[in-house]
Amino acid sequence: MSRPPSLPETQQPAGEDVSLLPVGLPVYICDATFREGQQAGRSFTVAQMVRLYDLLHRLGGPDGVVRSSEFFCYTAKDRRAVDACRALGHAFPRITAWARATRQDLLAARELEMQEVSLLMSVSPQHMRHKFGWTDAEAMAQYLAVLDEALALGLTPRCHFEDVTRADVPGFCVPLARRIMDRARESGRDIIIRLCDTLGLAMPYAGAALPLGVAALVRAFVEQAGVPGACLEFHGHNDFHRAHANTVAAWLAGCAGASASLMGLGERAGTASVEGLAAEYRLLDPAHARVDLHVLGELAAALEHMGVSIPEQQPLLGGRAFAHVAGLHLDGLRKSPETYEAFDPGLVLGRQSRIIITDKSGRAGVAAWLERQCGRPEIDKDDPQVTALLDVIAQAYEQGRAAPFSDGELTALALVQRPPSPQASAWQLYEAAIRSMEQAMALVQACREPLLRAPFQQDRPVFHGLHLLHCTDSHGTWGSSRWGQCAADAALLARLPAGAPGVALPCLEQGRLGWAYALTLPDGGRLAAVWDLMTFWPREEPCPGSALP
């Protein structure tokens, strides 16, 4: 059965607008990856910023839903990044400067020929009193002076009300916002005011009062300060797991702009995520939200390539975001994918769902894995191969295993437990195993010279887990791993036909699953080794066995 190809749509009576957003509100996303995201402790290179900026452009779709992206403008690298991203020629996201409310930062933004500049205006008593030593009147005078200077320099200000959820909203923030709106009318510029929930204290709940209630906060600025909803943005932190909910609550209350960073990267617990808000927009307004979520597959790969650690269960981007483990889920998935997948992640996000096998996967899970990985269609749950694999899996967990089985391990086991095929002789299967392991055998061959030169120590893992069992060549017999000179050495070498270049066979040695290799070397010597998949196979390298027929 087919899966729904897209995200589920909001259910509304036929003929009515399906959008849940306020009528006419021009919803958009402001990216903060290159400002807030770099405050998470990771500095991106110029090339990385260009790559991510291009992906943000594509994610925003033809309407530029990802409308702007903030950049620092302090260092030479900051300036190179701005120039390189501009060179792509994208209309969106618009490149904006982030600045402190100082003349020096304004001049730096103008030097970079920025059109818009974000001005930090700390509005809580904690910041004004303890960080700057200002009274309310002094703070307001300072902020308005810098705002006037930005306008005089030809810059469009974006006023960031830092720590607004601990501020005196009626007594300080609303009067300041009114004066900013006066200047917006006088200059003919759309001056943005951003509501910054700096400590993640805001609440999305109906009835929550100022300064914490998101809806109350938005309504105060719209109704009391006269700020148009199109000129309001919300920037929420995730200290209490509420960044996404608070940001969406701001949208629903009439705040057009949502500030976020990729993966929610940011100070402390981070912020709302750009990708999460893009998906949310599609859910809230499916008829108008033309965002390209298919970019998210590329985005996840790009972030991982840059060394950004993506939690396995990170929504939308994580390696296990669309993974299925439990036998009950996998049984439903086999019968109808939409049972446990709200949409097809391959079509919508460019991400493929995964089957992960543990002792909780049962017969349905093993059968589903064999169907997908080994190309065996419609395997019965009582198939002998399913039973054999399930027995080995159960035994491993009884002996204390905790981690899931990798695809490489299961492929090796599937070959061992593979039922006889009337279409393929034993020799044909043997040849197929040799072909499938050519890469691994070449690796063993490539490691031979370094191994000859390096002293071998008992129990020492060498070359990402290559354990030498036995080798005879022109240098004599040498080397012994922790398995020692065991019968497996002789048995493995005995299975190497005369003149054959080599063979790779799945083996179980003292409870450890791995691949055993036997090779005939160019000088007539022969080598036997084991590559222990469970313990030492590095994630970034292809796993031998994944190409088995």
Side-chain angles (χ1 to χ4, degrees), residues 130-456:
H130 303 300
K131 188 165 69 175
F132 297 119
W134 293 338
T135 64
D136 287 6
E138 289 170 335
M140 188 173 295
Q142 171 68 19
Y143 298 151
L144 292 175
V146 174
L147 176 68
D148 290 338
E149 185 154 12
L151 290 169
L153 290 171
L155 298 167
T156 298
R158 305 168 64 88
C159 303
H160 292 199
F161 280 30
E162 184 185 23
D163 205 20
V164 72
T165 47
R166 292 196 295 172
D168 179 357
V169 174
F172 181 81
C173 296
V174 167
L176 175 59
R178 284 175 180 160
R179 290 175 177 159
I180 291 172
M181 289 299 101
D182 290 341
R183 285 159 171 78
R185 286 187 290 272
E186 293 166 3
S187 65
R189 297 176 182 269
D190 291 329
I191 300 178
I192 301 292
I193 291 181
R194 177 176 293 181
L195 308 177
C196 302
D197 179 27
T198 304
L199 296 184
L201 298 170
M203 295 181 177
Y205 318 119
L210 291 173
L212 299 180
V214 172
L217 197 60
V218 171
R219 299 321 305 168
F221 277 83
V222 172
E223 296 169 4
Q224 298 174 33
V227 182
C231 292
L232 269 183
E233 296 176 357
F234 184 85
H235 176 80
H237 276 261
N238 203 37
D239 298 71
F240 296 95
H241 290 280
R242 295 200 294 261
H244 183 88
N246 284 331
T247 306
V248 174
W251 269 347
L252 296 177
C255 172
S259 172
S261 61
L262 290 172
M263 266 184 58
L265 294 172
E267 290 275 1
R268 302 183 316 279
T271 69
S273 73
V274 170
E275 66 277 7
L277 291 173
E280 188 78 53
Y281 184 27
R282 276 282 295 274
L283 292 169
L284 292 172
D285 194 359
H288 303 104
R290 296 197 297 168
V291 289
D292 184 5
L293 298 180
H294 201 270
V295 173
L296 296 187
E298 290 183 60
L299 179 61
L303 288 169
E304 287 188 324
H305 182 72
M306 294 172 191
V308 176
S309 177
I310 302 178
E312 282 283 280
Q313 293 182 297
Q314 175 86 6
L316 302 177
L317 299 184
R320 294 186 63 176
F322 301 97
H324 305 275
V325 177
L328 178 67
H329 285 230
L330 288 163
D331 190 46
L333 199 69
R334 293 178 74 209
K335 296 170 182 174
S336 174
E338 65 181 351
T339 305
Y340 287 102
E341 290 183 347
F343 57 91
D344 186 334
L347 288 176
V348 177
L349 306 177
R351 311 292 312 278
Q352 296 302 320
S353 61
R354 294 173 57 196
I355 295 173
I356 295 178
I357 300 300
T358 73
D359 56 337
K360 305 300 186 290
S361 303
R363 291 182 175 276
V366 173
W369 185 90
L370 286 168
E371 287 173 349
R372 179 174 294 191
Q373 297 297 124
C374 299
R376 293 191 62 195
E378 298 182 3
I379 300 175
D380 191 276
K381 289 190 286 186
D382 294 321
D383 185 280
Q385 190 179 25
V386 172
T387 301
L389 283 171
L390 198 61
D391 288 344
V392 175
I393 291 165
Q395 182 182 10
Y397 285 97
E398 282 293 326
Q399 294 174 353
R401 182 183 178 115
F405 275 80
S406 69
D407 286 344
E409 291 176 274
L410 289 169
T411 302
L413 284 171
L415 182 65
V416 173
Q417 308 294 343
R418 187 168 183 164
S421 170
Q423 286 78 34
S425 67
W427 180 252
Q428 287 173 320
L429 291 176
Y430 180 81
E431 287 183 321
I434 294 176
R435 287 196 304 273
S436 71
M437 301 310 297
E438 284 178 349
Q439 181 179 5
M441 290 190 293
L443 180 59
V444 175
Q445 177 74 6
C447 288
R448 174 174 173 258
E449 285 303 320
L451 280 170
L452 283 171
R453 292 193 298 270
F456 191 86

Side-chain angles (χ1 to χ4, degrees), residues 2 14 32 43 56 95 152 158 200 211 239 250 259 263 361 365 396 434 440 460 463 499 532:
S2 62
S43 292
L56 286 164
I95 295 174
R158 305 168 64 88
D239 298 71
S259 172
M263 266 184 58
S361 303
I434 294 176
R460 178 187 176 190
F463 297 103
D532 185 326

